[in-house]
Amino acid sequence: MWVVYLGFARNAVEIANHEINSSVVAYFNALNKKDYKELDKILYPTDNAEYVLTIAAKAQAVGTESIRLQKIYPALVDNNIAVVGFEYSVNNLIENQRVTFKRANLFFMLKNKDNWYVAKPDDLTSYSTEYLSAMIDKYDNVIRENMTDDAVKEQKYYNDIGFKKLKKSANQS
């Protein structure tokens, strides 16, 4: 009996991870294409207009040319909420200098009507800070397991080059 239940639970987690990964990929594709209407569909279905405008303005302000998803970590799912980590790179054009930054971050995701959406901070107000912090603390182990030393070194390398280009550009101005 327990073996069947564990198999069902494992299958449910795998399905959730697949659905979450699809949403994360769609989010980054929309950002890369600067398709903010599509981005709005990937965010949790509330009033997203101000949030989407903020993302668009920030992308324009920092000269984002492209954003690429590099890796998605397995999600930690608890009913209709999940936390998922990922690595990505951003190419910016700043004062005629192409600058690449590599980063790692995480999203909270919320499930609504059988679909997973990227949650904005306002979408998480029904969850206590303690609960969200506990999820992040649990997820820290997933990050440690998936973020290799090489990935950390690569991020540092690209970010150091990016900051040197920015500093050189600022000194020439």
Side-chain angles (χ1 to χ4, degrees):
M1 174 76 171
W2 283 106
V3 173
V4 171
Y5 175 74
L6 290 175
F8 175 75
R10 182 175 178 193
N11 191 38
V13 168
E14 288 173 1
I15 291 169
N17 265 289
H18 176 73
E19 293 168 350
I20 289 167
N21 287 355
S22 294
S23 294
V24 172
V25 168
Y27 179 89
F28 277 92
N29 284 341
L31 281 179
N32 187 54
K33 294 176 184 175
K34 297 178 178 71
D35 185 346
Y36 300 112
K37 286 183 182 179
E38 187 63 26
L39 181 65
D40 184 46
K41 296 176 190 173
I42 300 158
L43 296 171
Y44 190 74
T46 54
D47 182 12
N48 297 323
E50 186 176 324
Y51 189 81
V52 170
L53 283 173
T54 301
I55 289 174
K58 183 179 176 183
Q60 185 176 6
V62 298
T64 300
E65 288 189 319
S66 65
I67 185 166
R68 299 278 190 244
L69 181 63
Q70 305 292 320
K71 182 178 182 181
I72 304 173
Y73 306 149
L76 173 63
V77 180
D78 186 15
N79 295 317
N80 292 331
I81 186 170
V83 62
V84 61
F86 48 86
E87 297 172 26
Y88 66 103
S89 62
V90 180
N91 293 313
N92 298 320
L93 184 61
I94 303 171
E95 296 184 18
N96 296 323
Q97 292 278 335
R98 281 199 170 65
V99 181
T100 301
F101 292 101
K102 295 208 174 205
R103 298 186 176 118
N105 208 338
L106 58 86
F107 287 145
F108 276 100
M109 308 281 295
L110 294 174
K111 190 172 186 176
N112 183 28
K113 298 180 184 173
D114 296 327
N115 293 312
W116 284 96
Y117 298 93
V118 174
K120 304 175 305 299
D122 290 348
D123 301 327
L124 299 171
T125 57
S126 63
Y127 297 92
S128 72
T129 305
E130 293 79 18
Y131 173 77
L132 297 173
S133 294
M135 281 194 77
I136 292 171
D137 288 345
K138 287 180 193 174
Y139 196 70
D140 197 39
N141 291 329
V142 175
I143 292 172
R144 281 195 197 107
E145 290 172 10
N146 286 278
M147 183 173 247
T148 64
D149 288 340
D150 288 341
V152 173
K153 288 175 186 174
E154 182 181 36
Q155 283 185 23
K156 184 178 179 343
Y157 172 78
Y158 275 95
N159 293 343
D160 285 349
I161 289 172
F163 287 123
K164 286 176 185 173
K165 283 184 178 182
L166 290 176
K167 186 175 180 180
K168 182 178 177 183
S169 179
N171 288 339
Q172 290 176 351
S173 298

